[in-house]
Amino acid sequence: MKNLAILGSTGSIGVNVLNVVSAHPEKYRVLALSAGRNTELLKEQIEIFKPKAVALLNESLATDLGKTLVGKDLPEIFFGTEGFSRLATMREVDTVVSAITGAAGLMPTYDGIRAGKEIALANKETMVMAGPLVLDEAKKQGVSILPIDSEHSAIQQSLQGHSKEDLKRIILTASGGPFRNMTRKEMEGVTAAQALKHPNWEMGPKITIDSATMMNKGLEVIEAKWLFDVGIDQIDVLIHPQSIVHSMVEYRDGSIISQMGIPDMMTPIAYALAYPRHIKTGLPSLDLVKAGPLSFERPDLERFKCLALALRAAAVGGSMPTVLNGANEIAVDAFLNEKIGFLDIPEVIEKTMDAHEVQPIDRIASVMDADGWARKKTIENLLTYA
Ligand SMILES: NC(=O)c1ccc[n+]([C@@H]2O[C@H](COP(=O)([O-])OP(=O)(O)OC[C@H]3O[C@@H](n4cnc5c(N)ncnc54)[C@H](OP(=O)(O)O)[C@@H]3O)[C@@H](O)[C@H]2O)c1
């Protein structure tokens, strides 16, 4: 029996994690759940899974939830970053599922690692912002970080039973998002509603916009660099619109090993929870005949400038990936709130990156400083778009 703290349980990943848990009640027990603002869904989850503790974004949401809960065995209620960290460090927790969106996921994940908890990681921003610090701490504590991202899960599966020495390169696949075939001119006028319609995956709003700009793939390149300890020059990105091949690994003899499956997050979530076993998910088998031809093409870094910016940040290193991430979060939020256009997203991020003096990332405090600086600078930059 594995005891889980699920951070971000009201999100797209969180709900799928709970689906896997429900399918295997003999294997997993939910000890803690966290939400941002969705108190209604959290309340339903509390009734079903009976966690010992929960946390919400702020004190007022936590107080309101406390007033509405009735009955016995009610959970303790916490709030804010400290509250999320309390859940991640609870004595009986074995595995922390890190599925909060954005930079808010970093501290609770890091605290979970410091407390020696295994991490099932969906929150890629943690690795982008603080990869080397997170990995050092995980090594020190002897804890595993098991990726939930479907691409990284595919790579992890393709590495099983092979020697790291033989690895030549990683090939990350990308769907290309809803605007894969649009010209830059056509992209100029796209709305948030259009960008939120991903062709293959059901995801939260931030990652869906990141998929449309291809920033998501850039963040994944940085995540893969740290998780699999490879150079950026060993990671290639290929557009694969069918989202059937979830990623590949090439070995020095020319062999390419890939992991395939229908595009459903239940598979990588189940693998992260049951690693190294494959447990039932209830998903139908992939019908390769119905899936039709599988195609691959190179990404266009001019139309998808966010991917180019992420590769630049990865090459520069230090605090630049943290700044890229912070600037991106602010720019995506501005786009979703109709303050800037779709093609302004990379322009806004680039301005912030150009103004940044790179610092070493040697402590969590330096990550927080770089993140804070990037957010402030990007908000300043946004004033010129008003
Ligand atoms: N969805 C996918 O298929 C997928 C695939 C790979 C990786 N990921 C990664 O997984 C993470 C979650 O993605 P998602 O698609 O599940 O996002 P989502 O549906 O938007 O859910 C995000 C979760 O985080 C909570 N949250 C948001 N902001 C918060 C804050 N400031 N403090 C505390 N909690 C906060 C939300 O709470 P409320 O809703 O209650 O406000 C929700 O529980 C992201 O890092 C994403 O990149 C997602």
Side-chain angles (χ1 to χ4, degrees):
M1 180 68 85
K2 244 184 204 182
N3 288 327
L4 307 180
I6 305 170
L7 305 181
S9 67
T10 49
S12 158
I13 291 288
V15 166
N16 272 310
V17 171
L18 289 171
N19 289 339
V20 174
V21 169
S22 298
H24 297 277
E26 74 300 347
K27 287 191 166 67
Y28 306 106
R29 184 165 58 185
V30 175
L31 276 197
L33 293 172
S34 93
R37 298 181 177 280
N38 193 345
T39 319
E40 275 313 302
L41 181 54
L42 181 64
K43 217 177 130 186
E44 283 172 31
Q45 294 177 345
I46 292 170
E47 275 159 26
I48 299 169
F49 295 98
K50 312 231 175 308
K52 289 194 169 177
V54 299
L56 283 149
L57 187 64
N58 60 41
E59 187 168 11
S60 112
L61 289 163
T63 310
D64 289 351
L65 175 70
K67 285 182 193 152
T68 63
L69 292 180
V70 284
K72 326 183 271 175
D73 300 328
L74 295 179
E76 274 195 89
I77 306 174
F78 302 102
F79 60 88
T81 307
E82 256 178 53
F84 304 133
S85 288
R86 280 191 80 151
L87 304 187
T89 56
M90 278 166 67
R91 196 177 47 80
E92 307 114 290
V93 164
D94 302 305
T95 302
V96 175
V97 179
S98 170
I100 289 177
T101 281
L106 171 64
M107 275 324 292
T109 309
Y110 189 68
D111 287 338
I113 296 172
R114 278 208 290 209
K117 312 298 184 189
E118 177 181 82
I119 305 291
L121 184 76
N123 179 269
K124 61 195 86 188
E125 294 88 346
T126 288
M127 293 308 291
V128 172
M129 294 173 75
L133 296 179
V134 167
L135 290 180
D136 276 0
E137 195 56 38
K139 209 168 163 192
K140 215 190 282 171
Q141 303 296 342
V143 308
S144 308
I145 301 182
L146 303 162
I148 283 183
D149 234 325
S150 59
E151 294 77 0
H152 302 75
S153 177
I155 295 161
Q156 192 187 31
Q157 293 180 53
S158 305
L159 289 169
Q160 295 302 303
H162 297 270
S163 170
K164 174 81 200 304
E165 264 178 83
D166 301 341
L167 176 66
K168 186 172 176 190
R169 66 178 172 139
I170 282 171
I171 304 163
L172 275 180
T173 54
S175 71
F179 309 139
R180 179 171 60 91
N181 291 321
M182 276 191 183
T183 60
R184 264 184 80 79
K185 187 91 200 115
E186 287 167 329
M187 281 187 211
E188 251 169 39
V190 300
T191 62
Q194 287 171 295
L196 284 169
K197 283 201 191 99
H198 194 280
N200 304 344
W201 297 97
E202 289 276 336
M203 308 180 287
K206 193 261 179 182
I207 182 176
T208 308
I209 302 301
D210 284 349
S211 297
T213 62
M214 287 199 72
M215 176 58 88
N216 184 48
K217 210 48 51 182
L219 301 179
E220 287 178 6
V221 168
I222 302 173
E223 182 186 11
K225 168 188 157 61
W226 296 122
L227 279 180
F228 303 112
D229 187 24
V230 292
I232 289 294
D233 56 345
Q234 283 177 285
I235 306 175
D236 279 344
V237 173
L238 280 186
I239 307 271
H240 167 49
Q242 298 80 19
S243 296
I244 296 290
V245 176
H246 296 308
S247 276
M248 300 173 249
V249 165
E250 183 182 350
Y251 292 96
R252 57 188 173 184
D253 61 358
S255 296
I256 292 183
I257 312 282
S258 74
Q259 184 260 350
M260 297 192 262
I262 57 170
D264 192 307
M265 289 308 292
M266 289 273 279
T267 305
I269 289 169
Y271 190 65
L273 292 183
Y275 176 84
R277 300 289 307 273
H278 295 265
I279 55 172
K280 279 187 186 164
T281 55
L283 291 173
S285 290
L286 166 65
D287 183 335
L288 274 167
V289 175
K290 272 203 192 135
L294 302 182
S295 60
F296 300 91
E297 60 199 67
R298 299 222 173 276
D300 178 343
L301 295 182
E302 280 175 21
R303 280 187 306 129
F304 294 98
K305 202 170 160 187
C306 282
L307 176 56
L309 290 173
L311 297 176
R312 172 182 150 196
V316 171
S319 51
M320 198 56 107
T322 315
V323 165
L324 169 94
N325 183 69
N328 181 53
E329 286 192 24
I330 299 291
V332 168
D333 192 58
F335 172 66
L336 284 171
N337 287 300
E338 296 177 8
K339 292 191 180 128
I340 58 171
F342 185 71
L343 289 182
D344 294 329
I345 297 174
E347 303 308 321
V348 168
I349 299 168
E350 188 174 33
K351 262 191 206 156
T352 302
M353 287 174 69
D354 286 347
H356 183 57
E357 277 178 36
V358 180
Q359 308 292 327
I361 289 292
D362 44 12
R363 290 167 300 124
I364 279 290
S366 29
V367 177
M368 292 308 184
D369 286 350
D371 179 59
W373 178 89
R375 283 165 195 274
K376 195 163 162 261
K377 190 76 197 164
T378 311
I379 290 167
E380 265 169 45
N381 290 341
L382 281 173
L383 294 176
T384 59
Y385 289 82

